[in-house]
């Protein structure tokens, strides 16, 4: 089972003169995408007992995601209010004291033996105590479990850039796989070409750094020659959840190929990486072809 740990929240999306609540969050989206792809998946993040918490639980349950490690909380669900400015989405977060924000390192349980790998990232890495909690989860388990991290950097959410950079420099060396977009790399290493910036991250210690660039496809930097896979051409409705679904496709492929382990990733081949990038691209293409973060089910994937 792949354990996903990171934010779930409610996006309040404009709809006429009011707002429509939609379940979201980068790591939450990846957990649902993994479950829909038929991969045994668990989720570790506090779920509020408020009505929005129930709205978050329903898609997890439908996708077969194990929520047994999710603590239930009387604190409120994080809200992200989405407004439009000249057609661009602007987010206002209502997060102080929320169920997810207040996850602490003391809340991180001993992981059951059925956990095979950890996926973490998103804005949950930024604030404390939840950022410290995710860091603790990785620190305690990275020696025996493969870890994939997608920091999904959102500069508008980062109030202390130096503290966040320091956290990333602690946790990225503990990861086996790091996924970064070109925007992430520009924030981490301003002025460097994306591939040069990705190599800087690779030098920190991960086995594989995945570099995604939307329509330009995905590349994997590792100990061998760079592996590339093109994006799948499709009519784009929007790009919400594309990267989160790509992550799920990569992890699902690695597990199916039998290389989602510390030893498996250490001995991985270029062909196996290419297969993972391809499945990630195929899954992401379906997500962007329809509105919202709506990852594909296994039966929708190419044979």
């Amino acid at each position: 089972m792949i354990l996903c740990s990171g934010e779930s929240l409610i996006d309040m999306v404009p709809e006429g003169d009011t707002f429509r609540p939609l379940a979201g969050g980068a790591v939450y989206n990846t957990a649902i995408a993994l479950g829909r792809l038929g991969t045994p998946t668990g989720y570790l993040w506090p779920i509020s007992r408020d009505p929005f918490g129930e709205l978050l639980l329903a898609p997890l349950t439908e996708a077969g995601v194990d929520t047994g490690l999710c603590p239930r909380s009387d604190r409120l669900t994080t809200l992200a209010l989405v407004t439009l400015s000249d057609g661009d989405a602007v987010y206002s977060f209502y997060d102080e004291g929320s169920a997810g924000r207040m996850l602490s390192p003391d809340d991180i349980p001993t992981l059951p033996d059925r956990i095979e790998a950890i996926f973490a990232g998103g804005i949950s890495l930024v604030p404390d105590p939840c950022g410290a909690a995710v860091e603790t989860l990785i620190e305690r388990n990275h020696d025996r479990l493969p870890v994939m991290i997608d920091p999904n950097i959102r500069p508008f959410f980062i109030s202390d850039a130096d503290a966040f950079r320091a956290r990333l420099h602690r946790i990225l060396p503990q990861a086996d796989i790091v996924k970064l977009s070109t925007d992430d790399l520009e924030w981490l290493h301003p002025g460097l070409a994306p591939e040069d910036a990705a190599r800087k991250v690779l030098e920190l210690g991960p086995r594989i750094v995945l570099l995604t660039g939307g329509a330009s496809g995905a590349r994997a930097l590792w100990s061998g020659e760079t592996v590339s896979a093109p994006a799948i051409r499709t009519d784009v409705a929007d790009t919400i959840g594309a990267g989160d679904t790509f992550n799920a496709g990569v992890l699902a492929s690695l597990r199916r190929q039998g290389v989602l382990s510390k030893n498996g990733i250490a001995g991985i081949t270029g062909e196996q990486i290419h297969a993972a990038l391809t499945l990630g691209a195929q899954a992401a293409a379906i997500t962007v072809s329809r509105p919202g973060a709506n990852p594909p089910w296994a039966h929708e994937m190419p044979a």
Side-chain angles (χ1 to χ4, degrees), residues 17 36 58 64 95 116 120 133 142 149 156-157 170 177 183 185 212-213 216 240 244 264 270 277-279 284 288:
D17 295 329
R36 289 187 177 187
D95 192 40
E116 304 166 73
H142 78 276
I149 295 174
F156 64 82
F157 193 74
R170 291 192 298 272
I177 304 170
D183 289 341
L185 289 164
T212 58
S216 64
I240 299 171
D244 310 327
L277 294 181
T278 299
L279 188 66
V288 302

Side-chain angles (χ1 to χ4, degrees), residues 176-191:
D176 299 273
I177 304 170
V178 177
K179 193 286 257 334
L180 297 158
S181 69
T182 51
D183 289 341
D184 294 336
L185 289 164
E186 174 60 29
W187 189 88
L188 283 170
H189 296 289

Side-chain angles (χ1 to χ4, degrees), residues 147-149 175-179 206-208 210 251 254 265:
V147 175
M148 179 174 176
I149 295 174
D176 299 273
I177 304 170
V178 177
K179 193 286 257 334
R207 295 278 187 179
I208 304 169
L210 305 179
L251 287 166
L254 294 176
I265 293 174

Side-chain angles (χ1 to χ4, degrees), residues 116-276:
E116 304 166 73
I118 294 171
F119 173 78
I123 61 172
S124 52
L125 292 176
V126 178
D128 286 327
C130 66
V134 177
E135 187 173 348
T136 296
L137 172 70
I138 294 167
E139 185 178 287
R140 286 182 187 171
N141 296 284
H142 78 276
D143 282 341
R144 65 184 185 88
L145 295 176
V147 175
M148 179 174 176
I149 295 174
D150 177 2
N152 199 24
I153 297 169
R154 296 292 181 261
F156 64 82
F157 193 74
I158 301 168
S159 59
D160 187 337
D162 289 341
F164 186 50
R165 288 180 188 278
R167 172 160 287 153
L168 290 179
H169 276 276
R170 291 192 298 272
I171 66 173
L172 293 183
Q174 299 174 14
D176 299 273
I177 304 170
V178 177
K179 193 286 257 334
L180 297 158
S181 69
T182 51
D183 289 341
D184 294 336
L185 289 164
E186 174 60 29
W187 189 88
L188 283 170
H189 296 289
L192 281 184
E195 190 155 325
D196 292 336
R199 292 194 182 282
K200 288 275 191 183
V201 176
L202 190 66
E203 290 169 2
L204 293 176
R207 295 278 187 179
I208 304 169
V209 173
L210 305 179
L211 170 57
T212 58
S216 64
R219 285 168 282 171
L221 282 67
W222 61 306
S223 59
E225 292 188 7
T226 299
V227 179
S228 300
I232 308 299
R233 298 187 66 175
T234 188
D235 292 329
V236 177
D238 63 49
T239 60
I240 299 171
D244 310 327
T245 305
F246 173 83
N247 293 334
V250 167
L251 287 166
S253 175
L254 294 176
R255 188 178 186 276
R256 292 175 191 175
Q257 295 182 75
V259 293
L260 191 59
S261 65
K262 300 295 281 191
N263 290 337
I265 293 174
I268 201 166
T269 67
E271 290 77 13
Q272 289 167 330
I273 294 174
H274 185 267

Side-chain angles (χ1 to χ4, degrees), residues 47-69:
I47 301 290
S48 175
R49 294 187 180 91
D50 68 13
F52 287 136
E54 298 304 316
L55 186 62
L56 289 167
L57 275 176
L60 291 167
T61 301
E62 184 185 24
V65 176
D66 185 338
T67 57
L69 291 176

